[in-house]
Amino acid sequence: MNFNYIQKIGSVILSIFFIYNSLDVKAQKHEFGWGVGLSAYSGEIVQHLDPRNFRPAGQVFYRANFSEVVSLKVAASIGILSASDSRYSNPMSDYRKASFTTVYNDVTALFEYNFLNYAYTEKSNGNHFSPYIAAGLGILNYKSTISDSEHKVNTLFQPTIPFGGGFKYRTNAHLNFNFQFILNKTFTDAIDGIYNSSNYTKSISDSHNTDWYYYTGVTVSYVFWDVYCPQP
């Protein structure tokens, strides 16, 4: 991977923390949680989201709630991506006969915007449900088991742009449930091991498009409130 990508990701992460520290910390509610879900891929083998390719995935996360509207979520995810040409009937798939399975992990930082004022108070006060959208940056690692051993892929520290949304629901001031769907744009065409190669003509791919992967699932989280002692 180009070292410039790592520098760019590092610069953005530092910018996020500077913004975090510049906000009113007294308004924060710290939230920790975990989730389970499904992941899928699109690229050379399949150019759209195909539910038949969904595989298990999960994540743990921390969310800083700056206000009723804006949050920052930092998540670490792990999952499986898989697809096979044998599932599709077209001349390219019949010729290529490729397949792959990838175990991936990523770290993402996403700003979330709640369309409704998602108040962190008792259930009887304020909104306890809100749709939301999210967008940010991430870093992807993956290790592939590919049907053709001649394919060589760069699997470390690939930058991603995750974005999506979902719904939030809280049962009280502490317990929250979320549904989310996140799309991850990557800058690599090699997740499936099919990419342009000067010495291997069968690795037919579309050099103008990069691979994507997707995550959908549910999470449960607990909000810890800041406690401030009065100054004497």
Side-chain angles (χ1 to χ4, degrees):
M1 173 186 170
N2 192 319
F3 183 71
N4 288 333
Y5 280 135
I6 299 177
Q7 291 180 313
K8 291 178 182 179
I9 292 293
S11 298
V12 172
I13 292 175
L14 286 175
S15 299
I16 289 172
F17 279 106
F18 280 128
I19 294 172
Y20 177 95
N21 290 328
S22 68
L23 295 174
D24 184 5
V25 297
K26 292 185 179 181
Q28 295 171 12
K29 290 86 179 177
H30 304 285
E31 187 175 343
F32 295 88
W34 63 276
V36 293
L38 300 168
S39 57
Y41 134 99
S42 65
E44 266 66 45
I45 294 177
V46 54
Q47 291 76 46
H48 57 273
L49 180 60
D50 186 345
R52 294 178 296 174
N53 292 327
F54 278 131
R55 297 294 184 271
Q59 67 175 209
V60 293
F61 66 90
Y62 163 75
R63 180 183 283 121
N65 299 291
F66 300 121
S67 70
E68 297 177 347
V69 176
V70 178
S71 302
L72 171 65
K73 178 182 177 182
V74 179
S77 303
I78 186 170
I80 300 172
L81 304 174
S82 182
S84 175
D85 274 330
S86 62
R87 194 181 290 274
Y88 306 99
S89 179
N90 59 69
M92 182 67 73
S93 297
D94 294 340
Y95 169 72
R96 190 170 49 205
K97 294 183 172 62
S99 64
F100 82 101
T101 299
T102 292
V103 176
Y104 79 89
N105 59 82
D106 65 16
V107 176
T108 58
L110 298 98
F111 281 104
E112 299 176 341
Y113 178 83
N114 302 321
F115 287 101
L116 304 177
N117 291 337
Y118 193 67
Y120 287 89
T121 58
E122 293 299 327
K123 183 177 179 181
S124 58
N125 299 322
N127 291 318
H128 57 91
F129 168 83
S130 179
Y132 71 95
I133 57 174
L137 292 170
I139 297 175
L140 167 68
N141 295 293
Y142 59 95
K143 182 178 181 179
S144 296
T145 301
I146 300 167
S147 60
D148 195 323
S149 61
E150 291 190 40
H151 294 305
K152 304 297 181 183
V153 297
N154 179 12
T155 64
L156 297 177
F157 303 112
Q158 295 288 344
T160 66
I161 300 178
F163 61 95
F167 301 92
K168 298 180 179 180
Y169 176 77
R170 60 182 179 82
T171 60
N172 54 43
H174 296 283
L175 195 61
N176 289 273
F177 295 91
N178 286 193
F179 167 79
Q180 62 179 327
F181 179 73
I182 301 297
L183 303 86
N184 295 273
K185 173 178 172 51
T186 77
F187 295 88
T188 176
D189 194 33
I191 289 180
D192 50 20
I194 305 170
Y195 60 98
N196 285 339
S197 174
S198 59
N199 60 357
Y200 189 62
T201 58
K202 194 173 181 179
S203 54
I204 296 173
S205 67
D206 182 357
S207 60
H208 300 290
N209 293 319
T210 57
D211 297 336
W212 291 62
Y213 69 101
Y214 312 88
Y215 177 87
T216 185
V218 294
T219 67
V220 59
S221 56
Y222 190 88
V223 177
F224 293 87
W225 291 72
D226 287 334
V227 177
Y228 296 93
C229 297
Q231 297 295 324

